[in-house]
Amino acid sequence: MEQFYELRLYVAGKTPKSITALSNLKKYCEEHLAGQYTIEVIDLLQHPQLAEGDQILAIPTLVKKVPEPVRKIIGDLSNIEKVLVGLDIRPRDFS
């Protein structure tokens, strides 16, 4: 059975780093998790109280809520290997 991923990206406004992180995340998800994910973007400038729940200390931060274990990746997500390992995603096998 295939996993479904619930991802939450914490940003603070539309900074270049936040935009890059969201763009990179969408690209990786389409390549490796097509149809198996949701992305919730939380802008901490609008909802600062939400940082506490996931213990967000830096932004942008990606939180993988489901499947467990919960994982966090900080930064603009430009390192695809770090993101895939952090999310525990295995590259698709096309054989």
Side-chain angles (χ1 to χ4, degrees), residues 19-78:
I19 292 166
T20 300
L22 182 56
S23 173
N24 286 334
L25 179 58
K26 285 180 177 176
K27 183 174 75 177
Y28 303 152
C29 286
E30 278 307 305
E31 288 174 10
H32 299 279
L33 299 173
Q36 297 172 247
Y37 70 95
T38 60
I39 299 172
E40 180 182 6
V41 178
I42 297 175
D43 187 338
L44 294 178
L45 294 181
Q46 296 173 347
H47 306 285
Q49 72 281 7
L50 296 177
E52 199 176 312
D54 281 322
Q55 298 171 331
I56 302 305
L57 304 174
I59 45 168
T61 295
L62 173 64
V63 178
K64 178 186 74 150
K65 303 292 282 182
V66 173
E68 291 191 329
V70 171
R71 293 266 174 85
K72 294 179 190 168
I73 303 167
I74 297 169
D76 66 6
L77 310 179
S78 57

Side-chain angles (χ1 to χ4, degrees), residues 1-14:
M1 183 175 145
E2 293 191 340
Q3 299 270 20
F4 191 82
Y5 288 75
E6 287 182 25
L7 307 172
R8 201 176 273 176
L9 182 63
Y10 288 89
V11 298
K14 301 231 180 287

